[in-house]
Amino acid sequence: MVQTISGSDAVLKVIESWGVDHIYGYPGGSYDSGMNALYNQKDKIKFIQVRHEEAGALAASADAKHSGKIGVCFGSAGPGAIHLLNGLYDAKIDRVPVLAMVAQVPSTNMNIDFFQAMNEEPAFNDVAIFNRTVMTAKSLPKVIDEAIQQAYEKRGVAVVTIPKDFGWAQIPDTYVSNANTQIEPYAIEPDPVKIDQAVKMIQAAKGPVIYFGLGAKHARKQLMKVSEKFKMPLISSVLAKGVLDEDYPAYMGSTGRVAPKPGVEAAMAADLILWVGNDVPFASMLFNPKAKVIQIDIESTKLGKRHHDDIAILADAKEALKALYKAGKERANTPLYDACLANKKNWTDWQDSFKDSTESPVRPEPIFDVLNKEASDKAVFAVDVGNTNINFERLINIKHTQKWTTSGKYATMGWSLPAAISAKVLYPDRDVYSLSGDGAFAMLSEEMLTQYKYKLHIVNIVFSMKPSVSLEKT
């Protein structure tokens, strides 16, 4: 006789098979079967009860950013489902895999005027790359399995809506997930003709620079080798801070409004940009408009998207940089390269001059000086949006062995506390810091209770933003 299992237990078995060991959510009556399943499988999957569904979705997004593995969250029917949206949009726009399980009223009460009943699926059409309402209890594990596959494949949000009665229904315990059939995609090799053209353009340039994003996060050594061989200062996107150690001499930081001075000035002085794994929406405004561009990206839709390319190379960043290094000849220092290194030293010395400031209100430099001294080489920083992010970008001396996250292109406030919870759950032996402005902290400050409940040792730093905001009667 075939063994049976509840629909919700079958769901958790599939999720666990994909290597997920914890889920964020807030209980509700429409998800009671899910809570029962979490109790049944508490030795395999830990339930983290956040104090607001938005925080659960943000923590799931942070899980994916920290680890590269899918983050999982749930919300109850109606308002609980809608509360997930802000965190799910962060995952959508920063392109990380997240599974959201959305509870629904019993199937017999759907599509009628019933308590907390709403047509949930259309609410998630824009945010999700996979959005399905389960139609039978027996299909539950299959739909969840496909949702996870799609989230990984398309680097986005998968939403599965589950009617309450399907979670309780008994179904055959025979489903086998596809978790062990997944294969990492092969790295795309660059076209040798394009590499030769790129090398010639780099050799002819007077002031070439490298502008890299998170698409080059696996190519740290290759970035440094190409920089050193061709004498190209390195500029990162904001989110790619930490790919290189902050104290690497040729790393100028990022460019743009949040950036340090050396990165901004190097970008405007460059006559050639080697654009690697970068999709910053402001990028075309951050560089010398007359500069030539060689772009490397693994996605063809990114080539020329943010700036006209003189040479477009469809390839894995690491493989393309290896090929450029091998094909080119070492250059002598250029005036721009020497000027950039000197500019960085001058900037660093100027910033350091404020470390011991006793001004009141306190300046950010003394706070970040303490962080730089006390944070371990394995520290994880959860950084909220706004001035806190700007100060972090300029003042933290990041190491490539450390981790940090923020809400990137979506830039929602309230990121830091849920992201810090994610960091401590994933890395219990690492020191974790949340950095927030007072406004962002207030938005999800109830998650301090989550930190306390699960005994998560997190250092929460809150900066007053009072001087930056004023209202005047006219």
Side-chain angles (χ1 to χ4, degrees), residues 106-140:
S107 58
T108 53
N109 294 321
M110 289 174 61
N111 303 319
I112 62 174
D113 184 10
F114 190 71
F115 178 70
Q116 290 191 329
M118 59 174 285
N119 189 6
E120 291 174 340
E121 189 173 310
F124 296 94
N125 278 341
D126 182 63
V127 77
I129 51 87
F130 181 92
N131 183 24
R132 300 288 187 274
T133 298
V134 178
M135 302 305 291
T136 67
K138 189 176 179 179
S139 67
L140 258 172

Side-chain angles (χ1 to χ4, degrees), residues 217-228:
K217 65 183 177 182
H218 63 307
R220 181 177 67 89
K221 292 180 180 178
Q222 288 70 32
L223 287 168
M224 293 189 292
K225 283 185 174 182
V226 171
S227 169
E228 291 165 8

Side-chain angles (χ1 to χ4, degrees), residues 96-233:
V96 293
V98 166
L99 169 66
M101 293 178 289
V102 176
Q104 179 57 287
V105 299
S107 58
T108 53
N109 294 321
M110 289 174 61
N111 303 319
I112 62 174
D113 184 10
F114 190 71
F115 178 70
Q116 290 191 329
M118 59 174 285
N119 189 6
E120 291 174 340
E121 189 173 310
F124 296 94
N125 278 341
D126 182 63
V127 77
I129 51 87
F130 181 92
N131 183 24
R132 300 288 187 274
T133 298
V134 178
M135 302 305 291
T136 67
K138 189 176 179 179
S139 67
L140 258 172
K142 174 61 177 174
V143 176
I144 291 292
D145 202 23
E146 185 174 343
I148 295 172
Q149 286 180 291
Q150 291 285 331
Y152 272 123
E153 174 68 21
K154 297 177 181 176
R155 294 167 58 200
V157 176
V159 177
V160 178
T161 301
I162 305 172
K164 174 174 176 169
D165 49 326
F166 292 172
W168 284 111
Q170 291 292 305
I171 63 174
D173 187 15
T174 56
Y175 186 79
V176 179
S177 89
N178 287 305
N180 64 356
T181 67
Q182 303 308 297
I183 300 172
E184 285 289 321
Y186 298 107
I188 301 175
E189 298 283 344
D191 180 349
V193 174
K194 294 288 187 76
I195 291 295
D196 288 341
Q197 292 172 349
V199 167
K200 289 177 182 176
M201 190 174 285
I202 292 169
Q203 299 280 13
K206 293 181 179 179
V209 300
I210 299 172
Y211 182 44
F212 66 93
L214 283 177
K217 65 183 177 182
H218 63 307
R220 181 177 67 89
K221 292 180 180 178
Q222 288 70 32
L223 287 168
M224 293 189 292
K225 283 185 174 182
V226 171
S227 169
E228 291 165 8
K229 188 168 191 175
F230 299 123
K231 305 303 182 286
M232 302 173 74

Side-chain angles (χ1 to χ4, degrees), residues 237-309:
S237 68
V238 170
L239 298 182
K241 179 184 175 73
V243 172
L244 301 175
D245 289 349
E246 197 75 29
D247 61 3
Y248 182 65
Y251 175 51
M252 301 294 111
S254 62
T255 184
R257 184 175 68 90
V258 307
K261 175 175 174 282
V264 173
E265 293 181 343
M268 286 301 175
D271 66 348
L272 177 89
I273 308 159
L274 179 59
W275 192 302
V276 188
N278 203 333
D279 188 31
V280 174
F282 303 109
S284 63
M285 298 178 277
L286 305 179
F287 285 86
N288 175 3
K290 296 181 180 179
K292 294 182 177 180
V293 174
I294 302 166
Q295 186 177 2
I296 299 167
D297 208 287
I298 202 168
E299 296 182 45
S300 60
T301 55
K302 298 287 180 62
L303 297 172
K305 178 181 177 182
R306 301 300 184 185
H307 194 292
H308 170 74
D309 293 340

